[in-house]
Amino acid sequence: MFEMNEKHKELFIRKSSRTAASYLRRIKELSDDIESVSPFLEALKKIYVDFEPVHSCDDILVGTLCALIPNELIYAAGAKPVRLCSGSYTAYSVGDDAVPRDACPLTKAIMGFVETQSLPIYKDCSLLAVPVTCDCKKKLAGLLGEYMPTIILQVPSDKVSDDAVSRYSEELYRLVRELERVTGNTVTRQSLLGGIQTVGRAQYEMSRFAEYRKHTPALIHGTHTMAVMNAYSYLSADTWADLMSELNDELEERKQKGIFAEKDKNPRIMVTGSPIAFPNMKIPLLIEEMGGILAADETCMGERGIYDPTVVIDTSFDSMMRALANRYIRPCTCPVFSDNRQRLYRIKQMIKTHQIQGVIYHVLRGCLVYDYEYTIMEEELEKLDIPIIRVESDYNEEDVEQLRVRIEAFIELIKLKNLKNSKKR
């Protein structure tokens, strides 16, 4: 086990805090003057800048490493879920010594925070739930088991068949038993229904927000949206839903008054690919600092993680467990699944509904499951005459200027294309 003396730990916290504060400052500079965004940014500040817990000392925390883990089950067991996916370059630098060089930066950042035991949400977890969605996650789960109780869930490669749903339902039953052991609480039919309703309320507010995000001109900057979505990882579903309700009400008011996030018709960009985890917000920031508007994202740290509600027809325990298994694998567009045509359909649908004019395909270095699908995506979007660019990045700041040049050129290309189209009319 890695050990860090107090002096080095203090330097680590100071550097990590300074980097997160810098990103928050840049996010705030994209001012929409939307007051309801502030509580979400404050939650991220409390965790990554102040290094303070966002939970009470009586809460039982269960860490997750993927959107495939049902938060409903964790709430049903009387615990609170926190998603430990991080975009911290400082933690990445520490974790770089613990995992192979070519491992993805997200796994390195997670390992860095776990080893230093500096961030409360990591060191206070009573259990960690890890679905096997890639080789890095599989090996990471083994390492993390040395630091905290860890349960590994096997994800079927097929998500369409009834057999796949049944197999994942069995995995969720294993998770229930482990949650009951850790919390000392029994997951009952009533508590499970309550957990589904708790998350369902957040999903309802998400569905309201998704409609406002389609608006042209944009009502809110996409970078602010990504911060709001990241805050869901750390706030309780009830708290997040309350804050989201206030944000939706404010967006409705701005819509009625004609107050928009953009003065001109900036190119509407979609981001898809590898997750964008705070504080590594350089891609969204560069898009909007270079004159684009991040109008949609198809990432697991964004809208995808929460947009589909669990459909409950039969409220028996077994039926609700199967409904959760069905919800978490069938609508999921993660490339971990062998047949991922649904992801292409989803992205094409979002291009149409969000009036997208260009797609940035984000690949974290070493994230092979997403990189594998870029060629297919490029071919399909070419048929739609939608420009797409592959952007590979890491958590460090060394590639920022190179990314800035490429993203700016991509946005200028879209502006030129739009100008030519307008002259033809």
Side-chain angles (χ1 to χ4, degrees):
M1 183 182 290
F2 174 87
E3 291 186 9
M4 179 180 283
N5 62 44
E6 287 303 313
K7 182 179 179 180
H8 286 160
K9 188 173 182 178
E10 184 180 334
L11 290 171
F12 170 85
I13 291 174
R14 193 183 307 156
K15 184 177 179 181
S16 181
S17 175
R18 188 166 57 244
T19 301
S22 173
Y23 274 108
L24 278 173
R25 184 170 59 252
R26 288 173 65 189
I27 291 170
K28 290 176 181 177
E29 286 172 356
L30 290 171
S31 179
D32 299 333
D33 295 323
I34 301 177
E35 293 181 7
S36 303
V37 169
S38 298
F40 298 101
L41 300 181
E42 187 60 33
L44 296 175
K45 175 180 178 294
K46 191 171 185 180
I47 295 165
Y48 283 101
V49 178
D50 302 332
F51 276 66
E52 294 179 1
V54 292
H55 54 276
S56 71
C57 57
D58 296 328
D59 291 334
I60 301 172
L61 296 188
V62 174
T64 68
L65 291 186
C66 183
L68 284 169
I69 299 295
N71 286 350
E72 293 91 334
L73 293 180
I74 298 171
Y75 286 119
K80 288 189 177 179
V82 287
R83 191 164 170 192
L84 303 184
C85 298
S86 173
S88 171
Y89 173 57
T90 316
Y92 157 90
S93 301
V94 174
D96 195 33
D97 294 329
V99 299
R101 180 195 63 188
D102 294 332
C104 81
L106 187 140
T107 58
K108 292 180 181 180
I110 293 168
M111 200 64 204
F113 273 130
V114 170
E115 285 194 323
T116 59
Q117 292 290 287
S118 55
L119 213 61
I121 58 168
Y122 282 80
K123 65 182 181 181
D124 292 346
C125 283
S126 300
L127 177 68
L128 180 62
V130 185
V132 177
T133 53
C134 67
D135 288 341
C136 278
K137 285 267 186 76
K138 182 189 297 184
K139 300 305 293 183
L140 179 67
L143 292 173
L144 295 177
E146 300 177 13
Y147 296 83
M148 66 182 80
T150 301
I151 179 171
I152 300 172
L153 278 71
Q154 301 298 325
V155 179
S157 58
D158 161 35
K159 67 175 180 176
V160 178
S161 69
D162 289 340
D163 180 60
V165 175
S166 296
R167 280 184 282 127
Y168 199 57
S169 179
E170 291 172 5
E171 293 296 291
L172 297 186
Y173 270 102
R174 284 203 309 114
L175 177 58
V176 166
R177 291 192 291 271
E178 190 64 15
L179 288 168
E180 290 178 331
R181 185 190 68 78
V182 168
T183 63
N185 301 321
T186 301
V187 177
T188 64
R189 185 189 72 84
Q190 197 59 42
S191 70
L192 180 55
L193 183 59
I196 291 172
Q197 290 171 341
T198 295
V199 176
R201 182 165 166 260
Q203 290 166 329
Y204 168 73
E205 293 298 338
M206 179 67 243
S207 67
R208 286 183 63 200
F209 180 78
E211 290 303 310
Y212 290 122
R213 202 174 182 196
K214 295 174 185 176
H215 194 274
T216 303
L219 293 166
I220 183 172
H221 276 100
T223 306
H224 290 163
T225 298
M226 293 302 296
V228 166
M229 294 297 108
N230 269 257
Y232 180 76
S233 300
Y234 312 111
L235 298 171
S236 71
D238 279 334
T239 300
W240 190 86
D242 288 340
L243 296 175
M244 204 65 177
S245 178
E246 293 176 10
L247 174 58
N248 284 328
D249 290 345
E250 186 172 356
L251 290 177
E252 176 62 31
E253 184 179 343
R254 290 169 68 88
K255 178 182 174 182
Q256 297 299 326
K257 292 180 178 179
I259 303 172
F260 307 115
E262 53 176 337
K263 295 180 180 178
D264 302 314
K265 285 197 172 183
N266 298 356
R268 293 175 65 84
I269 308 295
M270 171 193 275
V271 167
T272 186
S274 302
I276 295 174
F278 188 84
N280 182 41
M281 303 289 283
K282 59 186 176 184
I283 299 297
L285 280 166
L286 285 173
I287 290 170
E288 300 197 309
E289 288 172 349
M290 294 296 101
I293 190 79
L294 179 52
D297 78 86
E298 202 284 322
T299 66
C300 58
M301 288 296 286
E303 293 183 24
R304 188 212 299 169
I306 193 174
Y307 66 73
D308 279 300
T310 302
V311 178
V312 176
I313 299 173
D314 181 350
T315 58
S316 66
F317 192 89
D318 286 345
S319 293
M320 287 191 288
M321 287 294 290
R322 188 171 180 86
L324 284 173
N326 186 76
R327 182 266 178 217
Y328 276 86
I329 63 169
R330 278 188 168 159
C332 181
T333 54
C334 177
V336 66
F337 299 106
S338 54
D339 183 352
N340 210 23
R341 286 172 291 181
Q342 186 181 4
R343 179 164 179 248
L344 284 170
Y345 174 80
R346 170 69 177 163
I347 289 174
K348 288 178 181 179
Q349 181 187 51
M350 291 181 72
I351 286 172
K352 182 178 180 180
T353 58
H354 291 71
Q355 301 177 58
I356 299 302
Q357 298 166 319
V359 174
I360 291 182
Y361 197 97
H362 171 238
V363 179
L364 285 174
R365 196 160 291 123
C367 187
L368 296 180
V369 288
Y370 277 105
D371 206 3
Y372 198 91
E373 293 193 343
Y374 174 73
T375 302
I376 300 171
M377 192 71 62
E378 185 180 36
E379 290 172 354
E380 289 297 316
L381 294 195
E382 186 178 357
K383 297 174 186 176
L384 300 177
D385 194 29
I386 297 293
I388 182 172
I389 183 175
R390 177 186 177 278
V391 172
E392 183 175 331
S393 73
D394 216 322
Y395 282 176
N396 63 57
E397 296 293 309
E398 296 169 5
D399 61 354
V400 168
E401 290 309 313
Q402 180 188 12
L403 290 172
R404 187 190 306 277
V405 169
R406 295 192 66 211
I407 290 173
E408 185 177 21
F410 184 66
I411 289 171
E412 290 301 318
L413 174 69
I414 296 171
K415 287 180 178 179
L416 182 61
K417 180 172 178 282
N418 292 343
L419 181 62
K420 287 180 179 179
N421 290 337
S422 66
K423 289 180 177 179
K424 289 178 182 178
R425 296 191 186 108

